[in-house]
Amino acid sequence: MTTFIFDVLKDLQDNNKNLSELTFVLPSKRAGLFLKHQLYKVCKQTIFAPEIISIEEFVEELSGLKTVSNTELLFEFYNTYLELTPKEEADSFEVFTKWAQILLQDFNEIDRYRIPQQKIFDYLSDIKEIEHHHWSLEENQTDFIKNYLAFWNKLHSYYNNFSKQLKLKQIGYQGLLYREAADSISKYIKENPEKQHLFLGFNALNTCEETIIQALLKENLADIYWDIDASFFNNTYHDASLFTRQHRKNWPHFKEHDFKWITQNYTVNKNISTFGIPKNIGQAKYIGSLLKDLQQNNPNLENTAVVLGDEDLLIPVLNSIPDGINALNITMGFPLKSIPLAWLFESLFYIHKTPSKSFYYKDVINIISHQFIRPLFYVDDVDYASKLIETIDGNNIIYLTAERLKAIAPKSGKLIDLLFSNWNKSIDLALKNCSSLIVIIKKYLDQDKDSNLLALEYLYRFNELFNELNNLNSKYEHITDISTLFGIYKELLSSETLDFQGEPLQGLQVMGMLESRVLDFETVIISSVNEGVLPSGKSNNSFIPFDLKIENKLPTYKEKDAVYTYHFYRLLQRAKNVYILYNTEADVLTGGEKSRFITQLELENIHNINHQILAPKVPVLKLTEHTVEKTEQLVNEIKAVAEKGFSPSSLTSYIRNPIDFYYQKILKIKEHDDVEETVAANTLGTVVHNTLEDFYKPLEGSFISVEIIKNLKTRIDERVTFHFKNEYKEGDITKGKNLIIYEIAKRYVSNFLDFEIKDLKAGNEIKIIAIEADNKVEITDIPELDFPVKLVGKVDRVDQYNGITRIIDYKTGRVDQNQVEIVNWEDLITDYKKYSKSFQVLTYAYMMQLMNQINLPVEAGIISFKNLSAGVLKFAKKDKSGYGAKKEVLITQETIDNFKIELKNLILEICNPNIPFTEKDV
């Protein structure tokens, strides 16, 4: 396969052109590198290398101006804006940047296409007056209307002053450089009457480029080679040749000279395959599979390119490239905004954007846990980052000050100051702190340079970025608050990339669509060929209306689509193997429709298109039960737990899911106690339990009366507040949901005491026997086990109600009567949801009987604070399920004996070495 660049060089050689004396002008620097590489193939002797430049470099040379970054242009433009706008009417820099970006793009287009400035800006302001003629004719116009119309009237003065200011400083935006270059071409020709130029690989040219090239062609100081195929050129409807057809028709040069070149490459037989793949990540993975297949016949993947329609796919594609590819070149840089350091500085800007002395605990934990920050908190063998996180979690701290953090981690004071001391809206302090932080991180990374080379490279680029921010701040002084600084930081960050090292002329080439200009490859893989990506479709980010663009021959979305049509088809022209990938999944922004380019390929009927819809291989995973076999060591652990004592909650945990029992009771794995921003249900339950214990514990052994309970009601506020502070630590209960939950806790206690008063007033006698009674007892009648088994538990309340002993468990959640009833004893240890409450109260009754603390018969039940109107929900044995069943609420010896059988079966199962712990679907 020959390339366009080689064909041009061969043609020049055949026409005896002295290559050394030519100045090659190409659309991109990258194309120049490939041209230089092809020179030796056509040169028969040693020559001096010709001058090879990109069109941007040529324009910069002609204009005498230097291109500056978009961010610096905004600052310069703001200077102009302030000069022309009364101080009291001027927008802040942050507001200004929102509309100035769009206006700069319009200035750029107006200059690149050499539109008479006065004409277009007057036309624009006239349109706005016509649109709003009812405004402009009104006698009493509001300030808003006046400002709106004044803005359009000022556009020309903005442009004039801004361009004048830039030219004085010998800098400019791209459009201004082009206009100046076009205006200076006559002067350049006079100064270089013998210099020969060769333009190759161009397609869509702006008016300035056309002016420059045509001027050189007219003076016989240039030649131009186009790269267009006859299949496109001869089809007047084909957008790939939209611009070249116009150039051939409109340029006087081609009335007397040949139009070079219309080639015949596209109709040559090609293997073209299109693949519809769900999701972007699916495309990236499939590119990896394709490359692996291609490697079998082409191990180094020479003459192979992966062209990314959506450049966000770069990282997934790099992660999908198969092993064994030695030569690889990536023309795109790694976006700096994707580096972990970017997230660190973004987090710092976020917490300091609004001045505050205290910081939200999640923001603090995110920053101190960052991979570049956490190691800095390791001082004198103490991990202060862990200490800070544990203190925050343990004390339920929602907001922290820098002073509090320093009190917890005194030896990390300097670092805490850099991260969390108030920036006080000071831009200098913010930049100084960020730069100092970079220095501290560098000092740490320098301790092991070889292992941290990439991290140090990241750090260096961020150091450059903050130096640039410093320069902009000191040079212009437009940054007045942290929010504006953050905006400029993001603007700079979005355009910065970290360049990859690679082999620019060998092996696999990974590039964006625009980087493929002038280059040819034998095998091409193109991704994201979807509407909205390739082509990008309609986007009207401009102050210039569509009809005005048409009037002034400015490019619209149609021309932009035609540019991408050309690039797409040009990649296919000389390629032999083409793989086109598109996303089949509907996307909110870009849609899931395949690109019109694919439909066009199919309708042309020039090539046979192999079209497939692919789905990722999803392995069929057999759901296997998670089981843990009981080894000898595990059995010993179970024995230790049995000897220490099974609690009712641990036994019901086993009934619910044996694996949970294994994790919590055997492995002692506890759930992490996160900071409770809102009071958790278990905290509420603890507060209510502890308050009632405070009230009733002193009454053990005595009868209660209405007066006693009324006296207790006066202490509700004080005891509930005390226990909230004890359980919720430093959490705030003075506002929001927490205040509501605090009031609910008081209401629960108050309602319960009212319930007691109502009971007493009805003539019932209540004697408190025990409150929060600790029970621990050994079960002696399990002869199958040769080790002791104990039961442990704390009963919330034992009382006598009209002479009948009651065992009562408090629940702050809702419990209904049917949850403490049972028909068949065998079901007791099978269904956690239905019978766990019954199991719990029966265990308490059994334990207290073994300890001789109660005499049968007794009642056992639950008081549900969410269902208090139901009273004590008593355990009941029913003779049948459904309506009309008889209920026995007294727990007799028979009840205990039946329960013992089920309890024994459960304990034997837990202790049986042949029955593994098996996970249940919960």
Side-chain angles (χ1 to χ4, degrees):
M1 180 197 91
T2 60
T3 65
F4 169 65
I5 290 172
F6 178 82
D7 289 342
V8 169
L9 291 173
K10 188 82 173 62
D11 187 63
L12 293 170
Q13 190 74 22
D14 293 345
N15 288 313
N16 299 315
K17 296 279 184 182
N18 186 342
L19 297 181
S20 297
E21 291 177 0
L22 289 176
T23 297
F24 288 88
V25 185
L26 296 107
S28 67
K29 284 183 182 179
R30 184 167 171 69
L33 190 70
F34 274 77
L35 188 144
K36 197 175 282 184
H37 179 64
Q38 297 274 325
L39 277 170
Y40 78 92
K41 293 182 180 178
V42 295
C43 294
K44 293 167 184 167
Q45 60 192 52
T46 304
I47 63 165
F48 284 106
E51 186 182 0
I52 302 170
I53 54 173
S54 68
I55 186 70
E56 279 86 4
E57 289 169 320
F58 185 50
V59 164
E60 201 167 278
E61 182 190 337
L62 284 173
S63 68
L65 303 178
K66 288 279 177 198
T67 311
V68 290
S69 70
N70 188 52
T71 311
E72 193 166 342
L73 282 170
L74 281 171
F75 279 92
E76 289 287 353
F77 189 21
Y78 193 57
N79 280 345
T80 301
Y81 171 73
L82 291 178
E83 281 175 25
L84 299 173
T85 312
K87 195 173 182 181
E88 61 278 5
E89 294 174 18
D91 287 338
S92 68
F93 185 72
E94 191 173 11
V95 173
F96 166 83
T97 55
K98 303 287 191 296
W99 56 265
Q101 294 266 24
I102 301 168
L103 198 52
L104 281 177
Q105 287 173 23
D106 288 340
F107 286 173
N108 195 45
E109 290 290 89
I110 288 164
D111 280 341
R112 277 163 26 97
Y113 286 84
R114 290 189 98 191
I115 310 298
Q117 304 96 320
Q118 180 81 42
K119 176 189 166 189
I120 193 164
F121 288 125
D122 287 353
Y123 198 131
L124 198 53
S125 72
D126 290 347
I127 286 172
K128 293 300 166 185
E129 289 225 18
I130 292 166
E131 279 179 11
H132 304 286
H133 65 278
H134 58 290
W135 287 1
S136 53
L137 294 176
E138 278 181 18
E139 289 181 20
N140 300 317
Q141 293 178 345
T142 64
D143 289 342
F144 177 81
I145 295 168
K146 287 176 185 172
N147 292 338
Y148 179 81
L149 295 171
F151 170 77
W152 297 102
N153 290 324
K154 280 182 186 173
L155 289 184
H156 189 219
S157 52
Y158 284 158
Y159 172 86
N160 279 342
N161 283 39
F162 180 48
S163 54
K164 189 177 174 184
Q165 184 180 300
L166 292 178
K167 284 190 265 189
L168 283 172
K169 294 183 178 180
Q170 294 189 313
I171 55 173
Y173 50 88
Q174 191 194 52
L176 187 61
L177 266 71
Y178 271 93
R179 192 185 276 273
E180 288 296 305
D183 291 346
S184 306
I185 189 63
S186 302
K187 183 186 171 191
Y188 175 83
I189 289 168
K190 281 179 188 172
E191 291 172 358
N192 300 278
E194 303 297 326
K195 194 172 181 180
Q196 286 294 318
H197 305 78
L198 194 86
F199 295 87
L200 66 152
F202 287 92
N203 172 46
L205 297 170
N206 59 52
T207 311
C208 290
E209 286 170 329
E210 288 192 40
T211 304
I212 292 164
I213 296 169
Q214 288 196 72
L216 290 167
L217 288 171
K218 189 180 177 184
E219 299 297 327
N220 290 320
L221 295 177
D223 203 351
I224 186 163
Y225 285 81
W226 310 94
D227 186 17
I228 191 72
D229 197 275
S231 303
F232 318 139
F233 194 84
N234 298 330
N235 180 351
T236 53
Y237 295 106
H238 207 300
D239 272 355
S241 59
L242 176 72
F243 300 105
T244 40
R245 281 198 306 273
Q246 288 174 2
H247 300 326
R248 182 173 182 178
K249 180 184 174 185
N250 299 334
W251 286 21
H253 178 78
F254 295 119
K255 289 183 171 66
E256 298 169 13
H257 299 83
D258 290 341
F259 184 88
K260 295 181 283 194
W261 277 327
I262 299 169
T263 61
Q264 303 282 342
N265 293 309
Y266 182 66
T267 49
V268 175
N269 194 35
K270 301 177 192 301
N271 301 314
I272 301 178
S273 300
T274 63
F275 300 104
I277 303 165
K279 298 289 181 189
N280 284 336
I281 202 74
Q283 293 182 72
K285 295 292 177 192
Y286 190 67
I287 287 170
S289 301
L290 272 176
L291 293 173
K292 200 168 186 179
D293 293 342
L294 292 169
Q295 259 187 306
Q296 293 174 3
N297 297 322
N298 182 3
N300 295 323
L301 296 174
E302 291 293 342
N303 231 334
T304 303
V306 174
V307 180
L308 303 179
D310 178 1
E311 295 189 8
D312 288 342
L313 270 186
L314 175 63
I315 305 306
V317 165
L318 293 183
N319 284 321
S320 303
I321 286 174
D323 296 333
I325 294 178
N326 299 320
L328 169 68
N329 185 53
I330 302 150
T331 63
M332 297 168 284
F334 185 85
L336 222 56
K337 63 183 179 185
S338 301
I339 289 166
L341 264 173
W343 178 80
L344 170 64
F345 289 112
E346 190 164 326
S347 301
L348 286 174
F349 277 118
Y350 177 76
I351 65 170
H352 290 292
K353 205 159 55 166
T354 48
S356 173
K357 289 188 177 179
S358 61
F359 304 99
Y360 183 47
Y361 80 98
K362 281 189 179 175
D363 296 332
V364 172
I365 290 173
N366 282 343
I367 289 169
I368 63 178
S369 302
H370 191 276
Q371 67 193 72
F372 283 99
I373 297 298
R374 186 148 193 165
L376 306 180
F377 276 98
Y378 200 79
V379 184
D380 297 339
D381 295 331
V382 178
D383 185 357
Y384 282 109
S386 293
K387 198 175 175 185
L388 284 164
I389 293 165
E390 284 163 16
T391 307
I392 291 166
D393 287 347
N395 291 290
N396 223 54
I397 308 170
I398 311 295
Y399 288 94
L400 300 100
T401 61
E403 285 66 35
R404 183 71 194 275
L405 290 168
K406 284 191 275 187
I408 301 165
K411 293 195 176 177
S412 298
K414 188 183 174 189
L415 180 60
I416 289 168
D417 276 336
L418 277 180
L419 296 169
F420 300 109
S421 66
N422 198 335
W423 288 357
N424 294 318
K425 297 187 179 179
S426 167
I427 308 305
D428 292 331
L429 180 62
L431 293 170
K432 184 186 166 202
N433 280 9
C434 290
S435 297
S436 300
L437 188 61
I438 288 171
V439 171
I440 290 173
I441 296 170
K442 181 183 182 295
K443 197 175 175 183
Y444 168 76
L445 295 175
D446 279 343
Q447 292 170 16
D448 187 4
K449 260 187 179 175
D450 293 342
S451 303
N452 295 314
L453 287 174
L454 190 58
L456 284 162
E457 182 66 30
Y458 292 162
L459 208 58
Y460 173 73
R461 292 304 299 275
F462 273 89
N463 191 51
E464 281 188 329
L465 190 144
F466 278 101
N467 284 342
E468 192 171 345
L469 278 171
N470 254 316
N471 292 339
L472 289 170
N473 182 46
S474 55
K475 186 176 176 183
Y476 295 99
E477 297 180 351
H478 295 325
I479 309 171
T480 53
D481 55 46
I482 303 299
S483 183
T484 307
L485 181 65
F486 184 33
I488 297 159
Y489 162 81
K490 286 197 289 187
E491 170 75 24
L492 285 173
L493 190 67
S494 63
S495 58
E496 291 291 326
T497 55
L498 199 64
D499 294 332
F500 290 95
Q501 288 185 335
E503 295 291 338
L505 303 164
Q506 295 175 31
L508 178 65
Q509 304 287 317
V510 180
M511 60 182 69
M513 184 57 86
L514 290 177
E515 277 127 5
S516 68
R517 289 175 294 182
V518 191
L519 308 181
D520 295 294
F521 299 96
E522 199 167 285
T523 301
V524 179
I525 300 168
I526 312 173
S527 75
S528 305
V529 187
N530 285 77
E531 285 297 318
V533 183
L534 276 179
S536 58
K538 294 181 185 180
S539 59
N540 189 29
N541 211 11
S542 171
F543 285 126
I544 304 170
F546 184 80
D547 51 350
L548 190 52
K549 285 190 173 186
I550 298 287
E551 168 77 20
N552 287 279
K553 296 190 171 74
L554 283 169
T556 63
Y557 65 86
K558 179 174 168 50
E559 282 73 31
K560 285 172 185 171
D561 283 357
V563 169
Y564 277 96
T565 308
Y566 174 79
H567 293 320
F568 176 81
Y569 275 96
R570 218 207 65 77
L571 273 172
L572 272 57
Q573 260 179 236
R574 294 175 183 78
K576 290 182 181 175
N577 307 301
V578 181
Y579 303 93
I580 298 167
L581 281 59
Y582 67 93
N583 184 0
T584 56
E585 292 299 298
D587 186 273
V588 178
L589 297 173
T590 56
E593 193 180 346
K594 69 180 180 183
S595 172
R596 67 192 81 164
F597 295 163
I598 297 173
T599 309
Q600 195 169 343
L601 280 173
E602 291 166 349
L603 294 174
E604 282 170 354
N605 213 17
I606 295 172
H607 302 285
N608 288 324
I609 313 294
N610 170 28
H611 193 182
Q612 295 180 45
I613 299 293
L614 304 177
K617 287 180 183 175
V618 180
V620 179
L621 299 173
K622 289 182 181 177
L623 290 173
T624 54
E625 288 181 331
H626 181 196
T627 59
V628 177
E629 297 295 333
K630 290 173 185 169
T631 61
E632 188 180 338
Q633 184 185 351
L634 194 48
V635 170
N636 290 334
E637 292 286 347
I638 294 167
K639 286 178 183 177
V641 173
E643 192 169 347
K644 193 176 176 185
F646 291 117
S647 66
S649 61
S650 67
L651 293 170
T652 53
S653 165
Y654 181 86
I655 294 168
R656 181 177 178 270
N657 190 358
I659 284 292
D660 287 348
F661 174 87
Y662 166 70
Y663 287 144
Q664 291 164 13
K665 302 301 171 187
I666 310 298
L667 298 183
K668 307 285 190 296
I669 297 172
K670 292 180 180 177
E671 285 188 15
H672 177 65
D673 286 334
D674 286 323
V675 172
E676 286 178 37
E677 290 182 64
T678 304
V679 177
N682 60 339
T683 304
L684 172 64
T686 305
V687 168
V688 173
H689 274 69
N690 291 351
T691 304
L692 291 176
E693 183 183 357
D694 285 355
F695 288 171
Y696 283 93
K697 193 75 174 171
L699 302 173
E700 283 182 339
S702 60
F703 286 93
I704 56 173
S705 65
V706 173
E707 288 72 27
I708 291 171
I709 303 301
K710 281 183 176 176
N711 285 335
L712 292 177
K713 284 193 77 172
T714 61
R715 297 171 55 204
I716 292 174
D717 266 25
E718 180 252 321
R719 293 324 292 163
V720 169
T721 305
F722 171 81
H723 287 298
F724 257 113
K725 284 186 176 171
N726 206 33
E727 294 298 324
Y728 198 50
K729 307 293 185 198
E730 297 179 41
D732 186 4
I733 55 167
T734 61
K735 56 181 180 283
K737 278 187 182 178
N738 289 346
L739 177 60
I740 295 169
I741 294 166
Y742 168 68
E743 292 298 331
I744 287 169
K746 291 197 294 185
R747 180 68 61 85
Y748 276 172
V749 176
S750 178
N751 287 351
F752 176 73
L753 295 179
D754 288 341
F755 170 72
E756 293 271 67
I757 291 168
K758 188 181 173 185
D759 238 356
L760 291 165
K761 282 182 175 177
N764 298 305
E765 282 191 340
I766 302 173
K767 182 184 180 183
I768 304 297
I769 307 296
I771 295 293
E772 296 290 334
D774 283 316
N775 298 298
K776 188 168 188 177
V777 63
E778 187 173 334
I779 306 172
T780 54
D781 54 352
I782 309 182
E784 293 90 340
L785 299 178
D786 59 354
F787 52 87
V789 175
K790 291 175 185 170
L791 293 175
V792 294
K794 191 180 271 193
V795 183
D796 290 339
R797 168 169 164 163
V798 183
D799 64 16
Q800 274 185 5
Y801 187 83
N802 296 331
I804 297 173
T805 303
R806 299 188 307 180
I807 297 165
I808 293 169
D809 194 37
Y810 300 139
K811 298 289 181 194
T812 44
R814 184 177 179 87
V815 180
D816 294 307
Q817 180 62 47
N818 62 0
Q819 290 177 276
V820 283
E821 294 175 345
I822 188 160
V823 178
N824 300 312
W825 285 106
E826 299 80 29
D827 297 336
L828 189 65
I829 59 171
T830 59
D831 191 325
Y832 170 83
K833 197 170 182 182
K834 280 187 182 177
Y835 304 117
S836 63
K837 308 290 188 299
S838 300
F839 184 91
Q840 210 164 351
V841 293
L842 286 169
T843 309
Y844 289 139
Y846 176 50
M847 286 162 67
M848 295 193 79
Q849 189 211 15
L850 285 178
M851 294 175 73
N852 297 316
Q853 291 180 351
I854 56 169
N855 294 314
L856 299 175
V858 297
E859 290 178 351
I862 284 169
I863 289 178
S864 166
F865 288 95
K866 274 194 178 174
N867 190 16
L868 204 55
S869 59
V872 177
L873 304 168
K874 297 174 185 176
F875 165 78
K877 168 71 174 75
K878 299 201 293 186
D879 62 342
K880 64 174 185 178
S881 56
Y883 183 72
K886 286 183 182 177
K887 296 182 183 180
E888 179 54 65
V889 296
L890 283 175
I891 295 172
T892 61
Q893 188 59 50
E894 184 189 349
T895 313
I896 294 293
D897 290 342
N898 285 322
F899 171 70
K900 271 165 55 181
I901 294 166
E902 301 309 319
L903 176 66
K904 181 181 171 182
N905 289 339
L906 180 65
I907 290 170
L908 285 172
E909 184 183 318
I910 292 170
C911 299
N912 189 336
N914 299 318
I915 300 175
F917 290 115
T918 305
E919 186 168 23
K920 285 183 184 176
D921 286 330
V922 179

